[in-house]
Amino acid sequence: MSGRIPAEERATRLRYVVWEITLRCDLSCNHCGSRAGKPRSDELSTAEAIDVVDQLAAMGTHEIVLIGGEAYLREDWTAIVRAIADRGMRSTMVTGGRGMTRDRAQAARDAGMSAMSVSLDGIGPTHDLQRGLEGAFDAATSALENIHAAGLELFGNSQINRLSFPELESIYEHLRAHGATGWQLSITVPMGRAAERPHWLLQPFELLEVFETLAHLARRGAEEGMPIFPGNNVGYFGPYETLLRGRGLRDDRAWGGCIAGKSALGIESDGSIKGCPSLPSDRWVGGNVRESSIRAIWDEAPSLRYVRERELDDLWGYCRSCYYAEVCRGGCTWTSNVTLGKPGNNPYCHHRALDHRRRGLRERLVQREAAPGVPFDHGAFELVEEPWEEPARIAPPKSARLRVLR
């Protein structure tokens, strides 16, 4: 990679921060990329967390999303929410919902939180299996009810994989029936515990079926007041691109490239800074708030400048020669990194799958190396190109046993 952004162009564009305030979690999700459960040994103190809020406000941040682990398991979480709101920023949260009681939801509202999103990856036992706990679906449903009753703006979020995909329409209907006003969807990728379950993952050629379903749901959502928000690894440039990114309401929206380190930032609970909260920590942490200011890390750390500065020659494989390469730049950095070992060639792409089918081909991922078993880890996959073969409809793998922790 060559060339640096001139100093005069380095003025902050930071707008959106996703902040893991603790790695402690009360679920044991079988697709969790961070392998959450126990808190980190050196998580930020309350004073350090408030200082982070001050720094983010000074950088012009619009919204801070609190995540975990499970954010509400940190004792001072409402103090952090209040500090965010007091400084004029939008405070939101993503929760698995196991312990999102009516009192907790009301406490969030009283502290100044604007919205919450509840994770839902299936109906009943399908959700419980993925979340690693019997009763997780019922708890998430109660969380939806409690958040709605507290007067918070309510959203849902779901991962798309071989277990959840057949139930997407049912998930949509469940969320809408409980007052959700939006739904974000992301593709499950082989990171953390999900890397140990490659049979749960979609194959790239199965995106052809997936996007037909997403288009149908996007049209429903636009008509019924619950628009779909495609995650950054849902795309790109297929026939439904503007329908999905415009939430069924606009026809001029399209993917504009990865926002990690451009307008978005991820923070780990020990103060480590990344351009995106999902990126593997070993390669992508640019610094720590205990050692440097967030502004300095944002401006100077190569790992945060990567997306801002990368060029076409940083792409490889299919993405390097793609018609949309100049704009897309390989899609989601996180997805390509944890799937093929480095960014710049993303097999989870609708345009790519369509192009391969037109040429009588399809791509299939084969795991070659297991994940080592640490937070934000991943294994190694090989991409195999083979003659097109009409796939069976996406269904849960036969080996998936609906047994969960009690």
Side-chain angles (χ1 to χ4, degrees), residues 79-92:
I80 297 172
V81 171
R82 184 169 290 105
I84 294 169
D86 286 349
R87 287 152 183 79
M89 295 177 286
R90 177 175 165 87
S91 172
T92 60

Side-chain angles (χ1 to χ4, degrees), residues 265-400:
L265 189 72
I267 307 177
E268 296 183 350
S269 58
D270 63 357
S272 296
I273 303 293
K274 301 185 286 190
C276 165
S278 300
L279 287 167
S281 303
D282 56 355
R283 173 176 178 179
W284 295 98
V285 167
N288 190 286
V289 298
R290 288 175 169 140
E291 300 166 356
S292 185
S293 70
I294 299 175
R295 165 69 75 177
I297 297 169
W298 175 265
D299 283 345
E300 300 168 11
S303 61
L304 271 76
R305 300 177 61 87
Y306 172 80
V307 170
R308 292 175 237 169
E309 299 181 351
R310 67 176 167 184
E311 300 173 347
L312 287 179
D313 286 341
D314 295 312
L315 306 182
W316 58 284
Y318 180 93
C319 288
R320 178 61 186 85
S321 60
C322 179
Y323 175 81
Y324 297 104
E326 181 68 41
V327 176
C328 183
R329 301 297 174 105
C332 174
T333 304
W334 162 57
T335 299
S336 54
N337 192 147
V338 301
T339 305
L340 297 179
K342 61 179 180 178
N345 185 26
N346 187 351
Y348 285 107
C349 170
H350 193 203
H351 166 76
R352 178 172 176 157
L354 286 165
D355 185 44
H356 275 81
R357 186 176 66 177
R358 280 192 292 268
R359 294 185 287 124
L361 299 170
R362 71 181 196 178
E363 292 181 307
R364 181 167 53 88
L365 289 165
V366 179
Q367 188 172 32
R368 298 302 188 196
E369 185 177 323
V374 297
F376 296 100
D377 63 346
H378 60 91
F381 283 74
E382 178 184 352
L383 195 59
V384 177
E385 188 175 89
E386 58 191 14
W388 174 261
E389 179 180 332
E390 196 68 34
R393 294 191 66 83
I394 300 169
K398 294 179 180 179
S399 59

Side-chain angles (χ1 to χ4, degrees), residues 242-257:
T242 55
L243 170 67
L244 292 170
R245 301 214 178 272
R247 301 168 193 168
L249 306 173
R250 293 176 54 181
D251 59 5
D252 60 345
R253 292 289 298 273
W255 170 254

